[in-house]
Amino acid sequence: MGCCNRRCGLIAGAVFGAAVAILGGVLIPVGNKIIQETVEKEAVIEPGTTAYDTWTAVGAKVYRQFWFFDVKNPLEVVQHGSRPVLVERGPYTYRTRYLPRDNITFNPNETASFLIPFGAIFEPSMSVGPEEDEITSLNLALAGAYSLISPELHLALEILIRTTNASLFQRRPVKELLWGYKDPMLKETVGLFPDYNNTFDGYYNVYTGKNDISKVGIVDMWRGSRSLRFWNNTYCDMINGTDASSFPPFLKKKEPLYFFTSDICRSVSASYEQTRNLKGIEVYRYSLLPSTLASPLDNPDNKCFCSNMKTTRNCTLAGVLDISTCQDGRPIYISLPHFLHGSQELRDSLVGLNPHEEHHKTFLDVEPTTGFTLNFAKRIQVNMMYGPSKVITVLKKVKDYTIFPLVWLNETATLDDATADMFKRELISRIQMLEIAQQALLGVGVAIFVICLISYCVRSSTQLSGNPLNLREKRKGFV
């Protein structure tokens, strides 16, 4: 009877272990389903969700750091046609995006409309000097006028330059170069970002993700249109992806992320680079590929972004984007800092540039389950162009068209410690607990099943090997 109980107990233990293991196995898809449903619910942009609370709040502090290119030999450039010698000065840091999205309206087609307010507050403690520091840089008014008027009118520009005693370069405070000053030649406000403070970007229309989480955050319209009107081409005028603050959840490494940025008037894509740890949270780092600003010779998709055959060397120049069509005609060229991934001739026309992949690339760190961007660095260089002239005195010694770097900026933000702890507590820890429970049940169940099964087999084998001996002994005694 005891033997039967032990055998039955081992069988029952094996059955119990198998049941526990099966329960652990079943919990894997069930748990994944629970996680998916929870994330999809909280990722929808509507009142009461985590995504909405994050989306409407100011959130992490966003900073714009500016590095200027200070010209050390302005007279040699004008008088002898020397290459400009540049020294980088910065950062001069401003806090931006400190105002929440404005005029939020939910629309019947499951989109939300909003404006992004612009503003900048100087941060002395994060800067190398005050806003009053002076920089020798390109004369914005002169370079702009040179590009905008035809060579037949250069004589009129020469007279205007002489009248106001202007030159190819000027020395002005950081504050004036960034936010504007009244130019004596044009008699109007000129600056790199003269309309930035107290203005807005948008309207944006983005999908809320309700009923289709794969569309959450994706831009439906910008300024009332589903396509841009800058490039006169269907492909280049497409608005793709989100505004980069978040992406649809459950990212896949092989799939690029698409986002639209009004700063460069186009959509771009970023590809998976590596998995990183950000304050205890696993994130995927995505960065722009060199092909983003490649010449049409290397990336035919960029053909429609090339509009000026003269300054782009018949569209063979890589690394710069002429955005004058979206800057009210102002001759602005966008590139990565120090012409990273650009043609060598861009750097050869100047002295002092040193592109560095780690310091000058644009990247996003995105939490893959939720699609939230937790850390980013958007790095852009603003350039203008000047070239030779037979009439304008300050340009007579210039040998060729030069795309001149004025400033490069790094717009950056990362989640703070409190937000990181909340994120880990509310999401990561719950997912980890569920995974631990799944693995524990599966492991314990398999262990119990294997131990009981082995014990049962060993006991059965011992009993089988013992019975014949007992039978022979009984037979001997009978005889």
Side-chain angles (χ1 to χ4, degrees):
M1 187 70 176
C3 176
C4 180
N5 288 339
R6 283 192 292 272
R7 291 176 63 189
C8 292
L10 290 173
I11 294 173
V15 172
F16 174 75
V20 172
I22 291 171
L23 177 61
V26 168
L27 273 180
I28 294 176
V30 172
N32 291 342
K33 182 67 173 177
I34 293 172
I35 293 171
Q36 180 178 342
E37 290 178 350
T38 301
V39 170
E40 289 182 354
K41 178 182 177 181
E42 293 300 319
V44 174
I45 301 173
E46 64 178 1
T49 66
T50 302
Y52 180 81
D53 293 340
T54 304
W55 188 73
T56 54
V58 174
K61 293 182 179 179
V62 180
Y63 296 100
R64 275 196 176 190
Q65 301 170 296
F66 295 94
W67 283 265
F68 289 85
F69 294 96
D70 196 20
V71 184
K72 293 303 178 183
N73 61 337
L75 291 179
E76 288 83 353
V77 176
V78 173
Q79 295 175 0
H80 307 294
S82 303
R83 291 189 300 166
V85 177
L86 309 179
V87 174
E88 184 180 276
R89 292 181 59 183
Y92 295 90
T93 304
Y94 294 79
R95 185 182 176 191
T96 60
R97 304 291 180 96
Y98 54 86
L99 297 170
R101 287 174 169 84
D102 199 8
N103 286 17
I104 298 174
T105 305
F106 287 92
N107 306 309
N109 65 340
E110 296 176 357
T111 64
S113 305
F114 59 92
L115 292 169
I116 298 178
F118 285 156
I121 300 174
F122 185 60
E123 296 283 353
S125 63
M126 301 173 67
S127 304
V128 297
E131 290 181 292
E132 290 69 33
D133 281 356
E134 293 190 341
I135 306 291
T136 300
S137 186
L138 189 66
N139 188 323
L140 305 182
L142 192 153
Y146 170 82
S147 297
L148 292 173
I149 67 174
S150 64
E152 291 78 13
L153 297 176
H154 278 185
L155 179 57
L157 180 57
E158 166 68 5
I159 295 172
L160 189 58
I161 291 172
R162 285 179 176 272
T163 302
T164 57
N165 198 30
S167 187
L168 182 59
F169 299 100
Q170 63 177 346
R171 189 166 181 81
R172 288 193 175 272
V174 166
K175 185 176 183 178
E176 290 187 1
L177 289 173
L178 286 176
W179 315 121
Y181 57 93
K182 189 168 184 178
D183 182 76
M185 190 175 74
L186 298 182
K187 308 298 183 185
E188 61 182 41
T189 300
V190 175
L192 294 171
F193 308 100
D195 300 323
Y196 190 81
N197 284 288
N198 302 315
T199 58
F200 298 86
D201 180 24
Y203 275 93
Y204 282 86
N205 272 44
V206 302
Y207 286 99
T208 63
K210 190 173 184 179
N211 298 326
D212 188 355
I213 199 62
S214 67
K215 298 173 70 174
V216 65
I218 291 177
V219 179
D220 174 43
M221 292 192 294
W222 180 68
R223 293 184 178 177
S225 177
R226 288 189 169 86
S227 63
L228 305 175
R229 300 169 184 173
F230 304 136
W231 308 107
N232 197 31
N233 179 275
T234 302
Y235 175 80
C236 284
D237 279 328
M238 287 193 300
I239 299 176
N240 287 337
T242 71
D243 64 359
S245 61
S246 65
F247 297 89
F250 309 111
L251 305 182
K252 297 178 181 178
K253 295 178 181 179
K254 293 183 179 180
E255 297 180 358
L257 299 182
Y258 293 92
F259 57 95
F260 167 71
T261 171
S262 61
D263 288 329
I264 63 173
C265 311
R266 61 167 289 190
S267 301
V268 295
S269 65
S271 297
Y272 171 82
E273 181 181 314
Q274 59 180 308
T275 299
R276 299 172 63 91
N277 184 292
L278 178 65
K279 299 185 177 181
I281 302 170
E282 183 180 277
V283 295
Y284 290 174
R285 171 158 292 186
Y286 292 81
S287 57
L288 299 186
L289 295 176
S291 59
T292 303
L293 295 177
S295 76
L297 294 178
D298 299 317
N299 183 4
D301 289 340
N302 284 344
K303 177 66 176 177
C304 47
F305 291 117
C306 180
S307 56
N308 191 318
M309 294 295 175
K310 185 178 291 184
T311 57
T312 60
R313 313 294 196 271
N314 293 321
C315 295
T316 62
L317 200 64
V320 293
L321 177 67
D322 181 356
I323 63 169
S324 57
T325 54
C326 69
Q327 294 292 318
D328 299 323
R330 294 192 295 271
I332 302 295
Y333 294 80
I334 293 297
S335 69
L336 292 177
H338 289 246
F339 295 122
L340 176 68
H341 302 154
S343 298
Q344 184 62 41
E345 61 190 278
L346 290 169
R347 295 184 291 276
D348 288 344
S349 62
L350 305 152
V351 178
L353 297 184
N354 183 29
H356 191 284
E357 183 76 22
E358 187 64 26
H359 296 155
H360 298 143
K361 70 178 180 181
T362 289
F363 67 83
L364 307 164
D365 289 340
V366 186
E367 199 286 312
T369 302
T370 61
F372 294 161
T373 301
L374 303 184
N375 179 46
F376 72 89
K378 182 171 67 175
R379 291 152 176 169
I380 299 173
Q381 183 170 290
V382 180
N383 315 273
M384 289 187 73
M385 186 271 296
Y386 65 87
S389 174
K390 296 179 180 180
V391 178
I392 301 174
T393 302
V394 296
L395 296 174
K396 284 183 177 179
K397 296 295 184 179
V398 174
K399 298 178 178 63
D400 201 354
Y401 293 102
T402 301
I403 296 180
F404 186 90
L406 302 168
V407 66
W408 74 268
L409 64 92
N410 176 27
E411 184 173 275
T412 182
T414 188
L415 80 168
D416 55 34
D417 293 339
T419 304
D421 291 340
M422 182 275 293
F423 197 88
K424 287 183 287 187
R425 182 176 62 254
E426 297 297 327
L427 178 67
I428 304 299
S429 61
R430 295 182 183 182
I431 294 175
Q432 289 176 342
M433 287 177 61
L434 187 56
E435 290 176 346
I436 291 171
Q438 293 168 351
Q439 294 169 2
L441 287 173
L442 187 60
V444 170
V446 169
I448 293 174
F449 176 78
V450 171
I451 290 172
C452 291
L453 184 63
I454 291 175
S455 299
Y456 177 81
C457 291
V458 169
R459 183 168 186 81
S460 297
S461 176
T462 301
Q463 289 177 347
L464 287 174
S465 62
N467 284 338
L469 290 174
N470 294 336
L471 183 60
R472 283 197 295 270
E473 291 297 326
K474 290 178 180 180
R475 286 177 176 174
K476 287 179 181 180
F478 178 76
V479 174

